[in-house]
Amino acid sequence: MDRNARTKACAAAAAGALVLAGCSGGTKNAENAGNTASGQTSPPVSGAGSDLERQYERVVDAVLPSVVKIQTDQGEGSGVVFDAQGDIVTNAHVVAGARKIEVTSSGGGSPANASLVGAFAADDLAVVRVKGGSLKPASWGESGKARVGQIVLAMGNPLGLSGSVTNGIVSALHRTVSTKGQGSFQGSTIADAIQTSADINPGNSGGALVTLDGQVIGIPTAAASDPQIGAAAPGIGFATPSDTVKRIVPQLIESGKVSNSGRAALGVVVRTIVDPQTGRRSVAVVEVQKGGGAAAAGIRPGDLILSVNGTATPDQSALTTVLANLKPGDKVKVEIQKSDGSKRQVQVTLGQLPGGG
């Protein structure tokens, strides 16, 4: 075929059909076309994508053995090995009220009995211990160095599926997240929570939020709920930061209690009350702790706490959220209402939130 005829043939083929051979004028292309037609595939493509995939695999291999399944007579969740003595970090709500606790490695095997060392409900953290095991401690990073957009993996046991891994990014930092009380768990308010797009499902609680260098920077704790549909909002999960874990957990291991919570307290016991006529909610003081900041400021049982530093506190959750972003020793302005209906503003020096066992 002369050049003109060949050019016309190629143009016609390009316009109406797939050209398998001959239009570039080389024998090599004809051979490659024949290979494609005979079912052979092109070699794998290497590059940044495959490098990222291999890093995912390395992180999973390194960290997943430190993530365990926790089963109780109340439910199930996840945990992360904290040290070589068999101490495991989880969420307080995972083990609240449990009479029996069992731990199973992410690799499977027989469950081991565990005992509760201590819990600090305010930060939704607890420690359980397995004796005589050979569990691998995780490497704990600094959540204070986390960056929005940073790739993270969530490891745990969602819906009972042991050793599951999801991926996402750090979506936001320094969130204040409140969780509802349920059963024996009184609820919590976590300051400096990490928001992530990695899927967090029931059973992920107490697991690990991990960076691509294999550092645990958070304990997945809660998923946001969509009030319109009454179900979890996809792609919005929250984790207790590792800096909080590293402050609270050693205290629980040492004594089963938290003496230095780093969290502020007014020095009162309160409850939310509702006016039956207006439906208005208020925070009522039930008890004033002797020697605390509230007592020194003249707050008494029966008083209503209306606001702190200008932020309204219509219920316990609102009050806890305000206090979660303050520190012991801070001086705050508290608006109160006395039993006779009079209102006044007092200054309170905040104390330390105590931590039960």
Side-chain angles (χ1 to χ4, degrees), residues 125-144:
L125 290 173
V127 176
V128 300
R129 180 175 296 156
V130 175
K131 293 184 178 180
S134 56
L135 298 172
K136 176 186 176 184
S139 179
W140 295 85
E142 297 180 49
S143 56

Side-chain angles (χ1 to χ4, degrees), residues 85-88 103 112-115 128-133 135:
Q85 284 67 53
D87 293 311
I88 298 167
V103 170
N113 291 326
S115 58
V128 300
R129 180 175 296 156
V130 175
K131 293 184 178 180
L135 298 172

Side-chain angles (χ1 to χ4, degrees), residues 221-302:
T221 300
S225 60
D226 186 337
Q228 294 184 343
I229 63 175
I236 305 178
F238 301 98
T240 302
S242 59
D243 289 352
T244 299
V245 173
K246 291 189 290 185
R247 183 179 70 250
I248 298 299
V249 167
Q251 297 180 64
L252 291 175
I253 292 172
E254 181 178 357
S255 65
K257 297 182 178 181
V258 175
S259 57
N260 180 22
S261 67
R263 298 184 57 136
L266 281 172
V268 293
V269 176
V270 299
R271 63 185 176 91
T272 301
I273 61 173
V274 181
D275 187 315
Q277 296 182 339
T278 65
R280 178 189 173 190
R281 296 180 300 168
S282 303
V283 175
V285 176
V286 176
E287 179 184 337
V288 178
Q289 296 168 355
K290 187 177 180 180
I299 296 176
R300 299 289 180 262

Side-chain angles (χ1 to χ4, degrees), residues 126-196:
V127 176
V128 300
R129 180 175 296 156
V130 175
K131 293 184 178 180
S134 56
L135 298 172
K136 176 186 176 184
S139 179
W140 295 85
E142 297 180 49
S143 56
K145 294 183 178 180
R147 309 179 309 277
V148 174
Q150 186 175 9
I151 296 174
V152 288
L153 304 179
M155 302 183 188
N157 306 282
L159 307 177
L161 300 172
S162 299
S164 294
V165 181
T166 56
N167 74 308
I169 62 169
V170 172
S171 304
L173 297 167
H174 311 303
R175 297 296 198 198
T176 300
V177 179
S178 294
T179 61
K180 295 180 179 179
Q182 185 175 2
S184 299
F185 181 63
Q186 67 188 45
S188 66
T189 298
I190 301 164
D192 275 342
I194 299 171
Q195 182 182 329
T196 179

Side-chain angles (χ1 to χ4, degrees), residues 100-112:
K100 183 178 182 180
I101 305 172
E102 292 183 330
V103 170
T104 307
S105 168
S106 59
S110 301

Side-chain angles (χ1 to χ4, degrees), residues 73-88:
D73 53 312
Q74 305 292 314
E76 61 184 19
S78 305
V80 185
V81 182
F82 189 78
D83 57 31
Q85 284 67 53
D87 293 311
I88 298 167

